[in-house]
Coordinates of all heavy atoms in Angstrom, one line a residue:
Q1 N 196.5 30.8 18.2 CA 196.0 31.9 19.2 C 194.6 32.4 18.7 O 194.5 33.6 18.4 CB 197.0 33.0 19.3 CG 198.4 32.5 19.9 CD 199.4 33.7 20.1 OE1 199.2 34.8 19.6 NE2 200.4 33.4 20.8
P2 N 193.7 31.5 18.8 CA 192.3 31.9 18.2 C 191.6 32.8 19.2 O 191.8 32.9 20.4 CB 191.6 30.6 18.2 CG 192.3 29.8 19.3 CD 193.7 30.2 19.3
M3 N 190.7 33.6 18.5 CA 189.7 34.3 19.3 C 188.4 33.5 19.5 O 187.8 33.6 20.6 CB 189.4 35.7 18.6 CG 188.4 36.5 19.3 SD 188.8 37.0 21.0 CE 190.2 38.1 20.7
L4 N 188.1 32.8 18.5 CA 186.8 32.0 18.5 C 187.1 30.6 18.0 O 187.6 30.4 16.9 CB 185.8 32.7 17.7 CG 185.2 34.0 18.3 CD1 184.3 34.7 17.3 CD2 184.3 33.7 19.5
V5 N 186.7 29.6 18.9 CA 186.8 28.2 18.6 C 185.4 27.6 18.7 O 184.7 27.9 19.6 CB 187.7 27.5 19.5 CG1 187.8 26.0 19.2 CG2 189.1 28.1 19.5
L6 N 185.1 26.7 17.7 CA 183.8 26.0 17.8 C 184.2 24.5 17.9 O 184.9 24.0 17.1 CB 183.0 26.2 16.5 CG 181.7 25.4 16.4 CD1 180.7 25.7 17.5 CD2 181.1 25.5 15.0
E7 N 183.6 23.9 18.9 CA 183.7 22.4 19.1 C 182.3 21.8 18.9 O 181.4 22.2 19.6 CB 184.3 22.1 20.4 CG 184.4 20.6 20.7 CD 185.0 20.3 22.1 OE1 184.4 20.7 23.1 OE2 186.0 19.6 22.1
I8 N 182.2 20.8 18.1 CA 181.0 20.1 17.9 C 181.1 18.7 18.5 O 181.8 17.8 17.9 CB 180.6 20.0 16.4 CG1 180.6 21.4 15.7 CG2 179.2 19.3 16.2 CD1 180.5 21.3 14.2
G9 N 180.6 18.5 19.7 CA 180.8 17.3 20.5 C 181.7 17.5 21.6 O 182.9 17.4 21.5
T10 N 181.1 17.8 22.8 CA 181.9 18.2 24.0 C 182.4 16.9 24.8 O 183.5 16.9 25.3 CB 181.1 19.0 25.0 OG1 180.4 20.1 24.2 CG2 181.9 19.6 26.1
F11 N 181.5 15.9 24.8 CA 181.7 14.7 25.6 C 181.9 15.1 27.1 O 181.1 15.8 27.7 CB 182.8 13.8 25.1 CG 182.9 12.5 25.7 CD1 181.8 11.7 25.8 CD2 184.1 11.9 26.1 CE1 181.8 10.4 26.4 CE2 184.2 10.7 26.7 CZ 183.0 9.9 26.8
T12 N 183.1 14.8 27.7 CA 183.2 15.2 29.1 C 184.1 16.4 29.3 O 184.6 16.7 30.4 CB 183.8 14.0 30.0 OG1 185.1 13.6 29.4 CG2 182.9 12.9 29.9
G13 N 184.4 17.1 28.2 CA 185.1 18.4 28.3 C 186.6 18.4 28.1 O 187.2 19.5 28.0
Y14 N 187.2 17.3 27.9 CA 188.7 17.2 27.8 C 189.2 18.0 26.7 O 190.1 18.9 26.8 CB 189.1 15.7 27.7 CG 190.6 15.5 27.8 CD1 191.1 14.9 29.0 CD2 191.4 15.7 26.8 CE1 192.4 14.6 29.1 CE2 192.8 15.4 26.9 CZ 193.3 14.9 28.0 OH 194.6 14.6 28.1
S15 N 188.7 17.8 25.5 CA 189.2 18.5 24.3 C 188.9 20.0 24.3 O 189.7 20.8 23.9 CB 188.6 17.9 23.0 OG 187.2 17.8 23.1
A16 N 187.8 20.4 24.9 CA 187.5 21.8 25.0 C 188.5 22.5 25.9 O 188.9 23.7 25.6 CB 186.0 22.0 25.5
I17 N 188.8 21.9 27.0 CA 189.8 22.4 27.9 C 191.1 22.6 27.1 O 191.8 23.7 27.3 CB 190.0 21.6 29.1 CG1 188.7 21.6 29.9 CG2 191.2 22.0 30.0 CD1 188.6 20.5 31.0
C18 N 191.5 21.6 26.4 CA 192.8 21.7 25.6 C 192.7 22.9 24.6 O 193.7 23.6 24.5 CB 193.0 20.4 24.9 SG 193.4 19.0 26.0
L19 N 191.6 23.0 23.9 CA 191.5 24.0 22.9 C 191.5 25.4 23.5 O 191.8 26.4 22.9 CB 190.2 23.8 22.1 CG 190.3 22.6 21.1 CD1 188.9 22.3 20.6 CD2 191.2 23.0 19.9
S20 N 191.1 25.5 24.8 CA 191.0 26.8 25.5 C 192.4 27.4 25.9 O 192.5 28.5 26.2 CB 190.1 26.7 26.7 OG 190.8 26.1 27.8
K21 N 193.4 26.5 25.8 CA 194.7 26.9 26.3 C 195.4 28.0 25.6 O 196.2 28.7 26.1 CB 195.6 25.6 26.3 CG 195.2 24.5 27.2 CD 195.3 24.8 28.7 CE 195.0 23.5 29.5 NZ 195.3 23.7 30.9
G22 N 195.1 28.1 24.3 CA 195.8 29.1 23.4 C 195.0 30.3 23.1 O 195.4 31.1 22.2
L23 N 193.8 30.5 23.7 CA 192.9 31.6 23.3 C 193.6 32.9 23.5 O 194.3 33.1 24.5 CB 191.6 31.5 24.1 CG 190.6 30.4 23.8 CD1 189.5 30.3 24.9 CD2 190.0 30.6 22.4
Q24 N 193.3 33.9 22.7 CA 193.6 35.3 22.9 C 192.9 35.8 24.1 O 191.8 35.2 24.5 CB 193.3 36.1 21.7 CG 194.0 35.8 20.4 CD 193.6 36.8 19.3 OE1 193.3 37.9 19.5 NE2 193.5 36.2 18.1
Q25 N 193.3 36.8 24.7 CA 192.6 37.4 25.8 C 191.2 37.8 25.4 O 191.0 38.5 24.3 CB 193.3 38.7 26.3 CG 192.7 39.3 27.6 CD 193.5 40.4 28.1 OE1 194.5 40.8 27.6 NE2 193.0 41.0 29.2
G26 N 190.2 37.3 26.1 CA 188.8 37.6 25.7 C 188.2 36.6 24.8 O 187.1 36.6 24.4
G27 N 189.1 35.6 24.3 CA 188.6 34.6 23.4 C 187.7 33.6 24.0 O 187.7 33.4 25.3
K28 N 186.9 32.8 23.2 CA 186.0 31.9 23.7 C 186.0 30.6 22.9 O 186.2 30.6 21.7 CB 184.6 32.4 23.7 CG 184.3 33.7 24.5 CD 184.4 33.4 26.0 CE 184.1 34.7 26.8 NZ 184.3 34.5 28.3
V29 N 185.7 29.5 23.6 CA 185.4 28.2 22.9 C 183.9 28.0 23.1 O 183.4 28.0 24.2 CB 186.2 27.0 23.6 CG1 185.7 25.7 23.0 CG2 187.7 27.2 23.5
H30 N 183.2 27.9 21.9 CA 181.8 27.5 22.0 C 181.8 26.0 21.7 O 182.2 25.5 20.7 CB 181.0 28.2 20.9 CG 180.8 29.7 21.1 ND1 179.6 30.2 21.6 CD2 181.7 30.7 21.0 CE1 179.7 31.5 21.7 NE2 180.9 31.9 21.3
S31 N 181.3 25.3 22.7 CA 181.2 23.8 22.6 C 179.8 23.3 22.7 O 179.0 23.8 23.5 CB 182.0 23.2 23.7 OG 182.2 21.8 23.5
I32 N 179.4 22.4 21.8 CA 178.0 21.9 21.6 C 178.0 20.5 22.0 O 178.7 19.6 21.5 CB 177.5 22.1 20.2 CG1 177.7 23.6 19.8 CG2 176.1 21.7 20.1 CD1 177.3 23.9 18.3
E33 N 177.0 20.1 22.9 CA 176.9 18.8 23.3 C 175.4 18.4 23.3 O 174.6 19.1 23.9 CB 177.4 18.5 24.7 CG 177.2 17.1 25.3 CD 177.7 16.0 24.4 OE1 178.9 16.1 23.9 OE2 176.9 15.1 24.1
L34 N 175.0 17.3 22.7 CA 173.6 16.9 22.6 C 173.2 16.2 23.8 O 172.0 16.3 24.3 CB 173.5 16.0 21.4 CG 172.1 15.4 21.1 CD1 171.1 16.6 20.8 CD2 172.1 14.5 19.9
N35 N 174.1 15.4 24.4 CA 173.7 14.6 25.6 C 173.7 15.4 26.9 O 174.7 16.0 27.2 CB 174.7 13.4 25.7 CG 174.3 12.5 26.9 OD1 174.6 12.8 28.0 ND2 173.8 11.3 26.5
K36 N 172.5 15.4 27.5 CA 172.4 16.2 28.7 C 173.3 15.9 29.8 O 173.9 16.8 30.5 CB 170.9 16.1 29.2 CG 170.6 17.0 30.4 CD 169.1 16.9 30.8 CE 168.8 17.8 32.0 NZ 167.3 17.7 32.3
D37 N 173.5 14.6 30.1 CA 174.4 14.2 31.2 C 175.8 14.5 30.9 O 176.6 15.0 31.8 CB 174.3 12.6 31.4 CG 172.9 12.2 32.0 OD1 172.3 13.1 32.6 OD2 172.5 11.1 31.8
D38 N 176.3 14.4 29.7 CA 177.6 14.7 29.3 C 177.8 16.2 29.4 O 178.9 16.7 29.8 CB 178.0 14.3 27.9 CG 178.2 12.7 27.8 OD1 178.4 12.1 28.9 OD2 178.1 12.2 26.7
A39 N 176.8 17.0 29.0 CA 176.9 18.5 29.1 C 177.1 18.9 30.6 O 177.9 19.8 30.9 CB 175.7 19.1 28.5
H40 N 176.3 18.3 31.4 CA 176.4 18.6 32.9 C 177.8 18.2 33.4 O 178.4 19.0 34.1 CB 175.3 17.8 33.6 CG 175.4 18.0 35.1 ND1 175.0 19.2 35.7 CD2 175.7 17.2 36.1 CE1 175.2 19.1 37.0 NE2 175.6 17.9 37.3
L41 N 178.3 17.1 33.0 CA 179.6 16.6 33.5 C 180.7 17.5 33.0 O 181.6 17.9 33.7 CB 179.8 15.2 33.1 CG 181.2 14.5 33.5 CD1 181.4 14.6 35.0 CD2 181.2 13.1 33.0
S42 N 180.6 17.9 31.7 CA 181.7 18.7 31.1 C 181.7 20.1 31.8 O 182.8 20.7 32.0 CB 181.5 18.8 29.6 OG 180.3 19.4 29.3
S43 N 180.5 20.6 32.1 CA 180.4 21.9 32.8 C 181.2 21.8 34.2 O 181.9 22.8 34.5 CB 179.0 22.3 33.0 OG 178.9 23.5 33.7

């Protein structure tokens, strides 16, 4: 039940979505993606 999660490598967003499932109220996943196209798709 994290408040803050860091993901290094978003790809198409699948894992970030999974990690967001247990967030505390007001919690956030910060996800970092180098590839512009993948960042757009994950968004």
Side-chain angles (χ1 to χ4, degrees):
Q1 297 184 344
M3 178 59 70
L4 287 168
V5 177
L6 174 64
E7 178 181 58
I8 306 172
T10 313
F11 193 45
T12 59
Y14 189 104
S15 52
I17 294 169
C18 294
L19 288 164
S20 75
K21 299 287 187 176
L23 287 170
Q24 295 181 35
Q25 186 173 359
K28 300 290 183 184
V29 175
H30 288 258
S31 190
I32 304 172
E33 177 54 50
L34 181 62
N35 183 283
K36 183 178 180 180
D37 291 337
D38 287 344
H40 178 70
L41 179 56
S42 61
S43 181

